[in-house]
Amino acid sequence: MKPFTVLTGRVLPLDRAHVDTDQIIPKQFLLTTGRAGLGRGLFYAWRQDPGFVLNQPQYQGASILVAGENFGCGSSREHAPWALLDYGIRCVIAPSFGDIFYNNCCQNGLLPVRVAEPTLRPLFQAEELTVDLPGQQVRGAGAAIGFEMDPFRKQCLVEGLDDIALTLRHEAEILAYEVRP
Amino acid sequence: MPHPTHPPQTLFDKIWERHVVCQPPGQPSLLYVDLHLIHEVTSPQAFAGLRAAGRRLRRPDKTFATMDHDVPTDPRPFAILDQEAAAQLAALAENCREHGVRLYDLESPEQGIVHVIAPEQGLSQPGMVIVCGDSHTSTHGAVGALAFGIGTSEVEHVFATQCLWQRRPRTLRLVVEGELGAGATAKDLILHVIGRIGTAGATGHVIEYAGSTIRALSMEERMTVCNMSIEAGARAGMVAPDEVTIEYLRGRPFAPQGEALEQAAAGWRGLASDPGASFDRELRFEAGEIAPQVTWGTSPGMVAPISGAVPDPAAMADAGERQAAARALAYMDLKPGTPMREIAVDRVFIGSCTNARLEDLERAAAVVRGRRVAAGVRAMVVPGSVPVLRAAEARGLDRIFREAGFEWRQPGCSMCLGMNPDILRPGERCASTSNRNFEGRQGAGGRTHLVSPAMAAAAAVAGHFTDIREWI
Ligand code: SF4
């Protein structure tokens, strides 16, 4: 996994609540056995509208998505963070996230940041933001906003740790559990 | 009995505690997984990762696979015309062969939707930790298990270690008391709850459903309720095991048999939350207030009783809600104030892991018997598994549906998510017994209204939504 430390990037504002993973990457793109190239399916249905943010020139090259509450609710498809990453998004800032989507982001080096309303509001207008994971701060739009992050997740993201290798260090405990009566 | 020196524990606490492999300071808990279910869509990248790292699948004996999402529902055998779907199914078969995983493929007499077949085979048992790369894994909580959906990276993690890192979620006891009114079913109960608490109402929580209404539900009805826990944002939903659970499991292929079942049952009864156990949150509902429900929007929380009308976004106090409702009505092509019962349907889908078990089909058949599907409506029934299909056919349900003009199809996820040939065309409006009415869920531009099987059946006959209470 690619480590995540400090990211400065252009903002993609998506001021909608309850954006589900079916919208992030619709079903027709799930018929794959790989992870690559899913960016072309990102927000596929909404993208058909020329006015949609993804189609506006000022947001090209964005790496920080700012969105409404409960972002990534619904289906467990990890294709959602894969599609965001493939498109170039490395960080999503929203008031809240679907639980499984949040996990999936962390597993892929895509940083989910919780910023509550109304603190979030001005970020929709920001052109560029800096997200500092070690410092747990979002900077830009004239503000510095602290955010919470589970220390274990933070360490895994900052160091780009492979979860499985980490777990296999506990092999003796797993074995002991398996032979427990 | 609570241990004299232990504080009273919840069902969740008991299962959690028994599955902690280790708890390094400052880290989440490493939780052991008893049952890992997989399907064709969310597993191929996990197998590829395992292979790339040169790791083995640790416990093939605790891993079970089925084909459900991509599967066409035509009479079998058939050739799968979609090349990508065929490749995904072939990859699952190959991966299962290579790693020694039992697979319920399209020739198997046990094949079906993952969340239908695992309880049906007795694989899902009380006290277990069950995971699957699928958000509706919450279904299995109905047997008194801790069951939740995971992503593909976590699927790979379970393949390699049989464990998962988890922070302890919060607990929510959702109590429903009293008797459900005529025509109101488990589906209406859970839609009503989601309508009240919202689709993020239980985020970060595991729900334990309790109270006299829940106790009175059959195992299949409990599955319907737990299935849609994820639509309330919950990690998992569960119901304490009781005699209903034990009788349900009796005689199922993977359940303990004979004396072993009685012994296991004694342990299962002890899993129920202790009196006085504390939950982080508690919510109460009255069953008597629950009417048959129909969703009107593009999120399961956008729901109204059948006697109600499409709401007016302008009347909503919250700006975000107003904007979301307006968007939803535009997508759904509905006008505020339209009575729910005047909304006409083009398609009817009775199926999915929410409502494609035998009791669901029986309830729908009871409505359809001796009647005809309205002119211009295309209606289909897709049993959740081959055993459900066989049992329904043995009872003559297929005949009732066929004679009424329904299509009787082969098991799979079908039109729940449109990853197979069963999809809505743009603009088509569907009464569906599935669990998600998201934009495009059943096909690009399709409009989904979530309802119970009986309400779907009645809509098929009437050609529009109608109050099932007037039919019984
Ligand atoms: S029936 Fe629908 S919700 Fe259930 S597993 Fe299949 S696609 Fe998912």
Side-chain angles (χ1 to χ4, degrees), chain B residues 152-239:
Chain B
T152 297
S153 296
E154 291 172 312
V155 169
E156 184 183 337
H157 191 279
V158 178
F159 278 165
T161 68
Q162 201 57 29
C163 296
L164 271 181
W165 293 103
Q166 291 285 304
R167 285 271 180 215
R168 197 187 179 100
R170 280 161 291 174
T171 52
L172 163 61
R173 176 155 58 183
L174 200 150
V175 182
V176 193
E177 294 287 358
E179 239 176 274
L180 282 167
T185 65
K187 181 64 163 291
D188 303 296
L189 186 160
I190 190 64
L191 283 172
H192 172 89
V193 166
I194 297 164
R196 290 286 171 90
I197 72 173
T199 50
T203 300
H205 290 77
V206 166
I207 302 176
E208 180 180 340
Y209 298 96
S212 61
T213 317
I214 303 296
R215 294 262 76 85
L217 296 178
S218 70
M219 188 50 56
E220 295 189 359
E221 292 170 323
R222 293 175 187 184
M223 289 182 207
T224 299
V225 171
C226 288
N227 174 275
M228 289 192 72
S229 301
I230 181 75
E231 268 67 56
R235 227 39 257 281
M238 58 208 310
V239 176

Side-chain angles (χ1 to χ4, degrees), chain B residues 296 304-316 329 333-343:
Chain B
W296 50 263
I306 179 64
S307 50
V310 175
D312 186 356
M316 294 179 181
L329 291 192
D333 191 27
L334 290 173
K335 291 199 176 46
T338 309
M340 297 307 293
R341 50 199 307 163
E342 283 177 15
I343 300 171

Side-chain angles (χ1 to χ4, degrees), chain A residues 142-153:
Chain A
I145 304 161
F147 63 88
E148 309 254 309
M149 191 79 202
D150 180 284
F152 179 67
R153 287 206 188 282

Side-chain angles (χ1 to χ4, degrees), chain B residues 231-257:
Chain B
E231 268 67 56
R235 227 39 257 281
M238 58 208 310
V239 176
D242 59 10
E243 299 315 306
V244 173
T245 322
I246 294 159
E247 286 318 306
Y248 175 85
L249 282 160
R250 193 179 296 280
R252 298 203 176 256
F254 285 89
Q257 309 286 331

Side-chain angles (χ1 to χ4, degrees), chain A residues 75 77, chain B residues 39 68-69 113-116 132 134-137 139 227 231 349 351-354 356 412-420 434-436 441:
Chain A
S75 156
R77 57 189 70 167
Chain B
H39 62 73
D68 52 7
H69 284 65
I113 306 172
V114 61
H115 310 308
V116 175
C132 173
D134 195 286
S135 58
H136 291 100
T137 308
T139 313
N227 174 275
E231 268 67 56
F349 170 60
S352 91
C353 59
T354 314
C413 293
S414 182
M415 213 159 68
C416 175
L417 90 165
M419 271 193 76
N420 52 71
S434 55
N435 43 50
R436 285 186 176 140
R441 170 80 178 181

